[in-house]
Amino acid sequence: MIRILIADDEEIERVALEKILTTHLDQVEVVATVGNGREAIEKAGGLKPDLLLMDIQMPGINGLEAIGQIRERFPTIKVVIVSSYDTFSFAQQAIRLGVKDYLLKPSKVQVIVETIWKLCEEIVQERSRLESQEEADNRIQKALPILESEFVSRLLFDQVQEIDLEEVSTLMKVAVQPPASVIVVSLQLREDWDQQDRSLKNFMCEMQAELRGRDDMMVGSVSGHILPLLFFHRKGEERRLIGKMMEQIRRLGCRDPRLHIGLGVGSAKDGLDDLRISYQEALMACSDLGMGQGYRIRFYDDLSQEHGEDDKRLWYERKLIEALRHERWQDTKEIIFCLLSVMEQKQTPLEEARQRLYGHFLLLIHLLEEVGVKEVPAHILLRGQSYMELWQEARVKMEELDVAYQRFQKNAQFDAFDQVKKYIEEHFMEDLSLEQLAKFVQLSPFYLSKCFKEEFGISYVDYMTQCRISRAKEYIRQGGLSFKEIAYAVGYHDPNYFSRVFKKTCGLSPSQYRDKK
């Protein structure tokens, strides 16, 4: 129903207008009739009508003054002046106030009905547009966490197109501008922690939601007990801001004293392409935290300064990251033992050596999980009271990881990437995330993204875009659907974004493509 408020100082006019409207227009409801401008202002505030029929000359506040105050508070209310005055000055003021039409008394019933009917149709169309926009906004809001995690994963493990940066920056309300650092949040498990305890997963989800409220950060997907973050900041301010962020996490985690949280912070990068390096540095910084308790922060820049660029341990840790990234498992095993050998040669205190080795194994476990290795040991307990005992423990733990890795290699589905490709072709119109695709073939998101591109020479996101644009072309050639309907049909939440992607892919806008065909 269209809600109408009538304001006229002559009761006979109010009654006549209400009678005409309710008799000839089924879709209207006269919510109130008033006799002066002040009452009109009060009723408009309480009843919020869609349409206001206003006389000009009324006692107290006149119609034009009342319209000005009402439109200032409720700019969507449409106004029609109903008056016996037709002077040019009144018409000028009415135009400035955004009045939609002017009915001169006395008006014929047909003129009144046609004028109001036209405005009712306009209101209905605007409602429909607003509802469609609200529906689109709701879709986008529901998809934002997925899009954000997806963007972080692609930035750390894949490539991001310029159009993505523009769109993500707008949608997430985050200034995606370098310099930026990668932060790795690591939850360390106490020895007595029940692996089936859902409180850990619940905490990670709560932390994701909490950090997504920041305008200087983008939150990735949880992998094991690791959560990657993209942190955009001014150089020189990162330590102060990250310290505040740790306080935010501490307040969230204080409910469970079993939580031990470490932040590893990679160095600031001026180019987004270098954030993969910052991610590796953050993992190394995280591993350097060792087995400590509480809430701790480690900056990769401090490692370089403390140990020097020529420090053997730091050099081996970098080699460890590189070997894991390129799946050189044999090299990885050798580097772990080289790291232990360096610490023994330098006569590193045993407690410090245990903590560093513990950190290396945590890093190893996390990166194996990223690749897709299942059933890796959840706890790494190192209790050796001598380097000889520490060597024995390290060999046992490495053997456990080696067994898990070899089992993964043996059971790998070599047709998994063809399955993913086919799945994308059949489901591209849905909200497909990297995590969803990885779960479909039981691989890790990172491993799937990396291998899909190696196998087909194109990232899974770009392939999904190809499928969507190809189907969109078919719909345009067939006709019958608006561009907005086509955008939703092929999987886009925002028709404007669809148009930009279409033009970037095809060199033509959707309308240009339609006209050409």
Side-chain angles (χ1 to χ4, degrees), residues 164-224:
D164 291 326
L165 294 178
E166 177 188 351
E167 185 67 17
V168 168
S169 181
T170 302
L171 286 176
M172 306 299 173
K173 297 181 174 60
V174 175
V176 185
Q177 294 291 335
S181 302
V182 176
I183 302 173
V184 166
V185 183
S186 172
L187 266 67
Q188 296 182 14
L189 303 181
R190 280 186 5 187
E191 182 179 349
D192 59 349
W193 193 296
D194 180 3
Q195 290 302 299
Q196 303 304 316
D197 191 341
R198 292 188 58 83
S199 59
L200 175 63
K201 184 176 181 180
N202 292 340
F203 175 77
M204 292 295 267
C205 291
E206 287 179 25
M207 184 166 57
Q208 275 184 301
E210 178 81 9
L211 295 176
R212 280 200 172 103
R214 297 175 61 106
D215 60 4
D216 58 356
M217 184 171 294
M218 297 185 70
V219 182
S221 300
V222 175
S223 176

Side-chain angles (χ1 to χ4, degrees), residues 239-257:
R239 291 178 184 258
R240 177 179 62 84
L241 295 173
I242 290 172
K244 285 187 175 181
M245 187 190 77
M246 179 58 101
E247 287 302 314
Q248 188 179 1
I249 294 174
R250 189 196 301 271
R251 287 194 297 272
L252 193 63
C254 66
R255 291 169 291 179
D256 195 331

Side-chain angles (χ1 to χ4, degrees), residues 182-380:
V182 176
I183 302 173
V184 166
V185 183
S186 172
L187 266 67
Q188 296 182 14
L189 303 181
R190 280 186 5 187
E191 182 179 349
D192 59 349
W193 193 296
D194 180 3
Q195 290 302 299
Q196 303 304 316
D197 191 341
R198 292 188 58 83
S199 59
L200 175 63
K201 184 176 181 180
N202 292 340
F203 175 77
M204 292 295 267
C205 291
E206 287 179 25
M207 184 166 57
Q208 275 184 301
E210 178 81 9
L211 295 176
R212 280 200 172 103
R214 297 175 61 106
D215 60 4
D216 58 356
M217 184 171 294
M218 297 185 70
V219 182
S221 300
V222 175
S223 176
H225 306 132
I226 293 289
L227 176 66
L229 311 170
L230 297 186
F231 178 50
F232 301 93
H233 56 83
R234 291 182 180 178
K235 279 190 176 177
E237 293 188 357
E238 57 267 36
R239 291 178 184 258
R240 177 179 62 84
L241 295 173
I242 290 172
K244 285 187 175 181
M245 187 190 77
M246 179 58 101
E247 287 302 314
Q248 188 179 1
I249 294 174
R250 189 196 301 271
R251 287 194 297 272
L252 193 63
C254 66
R255 291 169 291 179
D256 195 331
R258 299 174 297 174
L259 291 171
H260 303 313
I261 299 175
L263 299 187
V265 185
S267 58
K269 304 298 180 184
D270 290 321
L272 294 179
D273 289 340
D274 294 330
L275 285 179
R276 277 167 279 186
I277 299 173
S278 184
Y279 175 59
Q280 295 173 8
E281 293 172 349
L283 288 171
M284 289 172 61
C286 225
S287 73
D288 197 69
L289 288 169
M291 297 182 289
Q293 297 184 354
Y295 296 78
R296 295 158 303 131
I297 304 174
R298 190 66 159 141
F299 291 86
Y300 177 80
D301 289 341
D302 293 343
L303 295 182
S304 300
Q305 292 174 10
E306 291 171 10
H307 303 290
E309 289 296 326
D310 58 346
D311 182 82
K312 276 190 175 182
R313 185 179 66 81
L314 199 58
W315 184 84
Y316 276 124
E317 286 178 342
R318 288 173 175 162
K319 288 295 181 183
L320 176 63
I321 294 281
E322 183 181 337
L324 284 165
R325 283 289 178 221
H326 293 88
E327 299 175 52
R328 299 197 303 267
W329 179 245
Q330 193 60 39
D331 291 350
T332 300
K333 293 191 293 183
E334 292 175 3
I335 292 170
I336 286 288
F337 294 130
C338 286
L339 282 164
L340 183 54
S341 178
V342 167
M343 288 189 287
E344 185 177 21
Q345 290 171 11
K346 286 190 171 184
Q347 298 182 341
T348 303
L350 196 61
E351 178 61 27
E352 181 182 344
R354 273 201 303 267
Q355 290 204 20
R356 293 196 181 283
L357 192 59
Y358 172 81
H360 297 148
F361 273 114
L362 280 183
L363 175 61
L364 193 59
I365 288 172
H366 169 62
L367 292 177
L368 283 176
E369 287 175 338
E370 271 192 352
V371 169
V373 178
K374 309 292 183 183
E375 301 176 5
V376 293
H379 293 298
I380 299 294

Side-chain angles (χ1 to χ4, degrees), residues 153-154 157-159 417 434 438 443-455 458-461:
S153 296
R154 290 179 62 194
F157 306 130
D158 209 330
Q159 293 181 349
F417 310 116
L434 179 58
L443 293 174
S444 77
F446 165 72
Y447 186 70
L448 173 59
S449 176
K450 171 179 174 293
C451 293
F452 188 96
K453 191 167 186 177
E454 289 176 354
E455 182 75 14
I458 185 174
S459 71
Y460 81 95
V461 172

Side-chain angles (χ1 to χ4, degrees), residues 150-163:
E150 194 80 359
F151 178 79
V152 173
S153 296
R154 290 179 62 194
L155 200 54
L156 297 183
F157 306 130
D158 209 330
Q159 293 181 349
V160 178
Q161 302 173 2
E162 292 180 6
I163 194 169

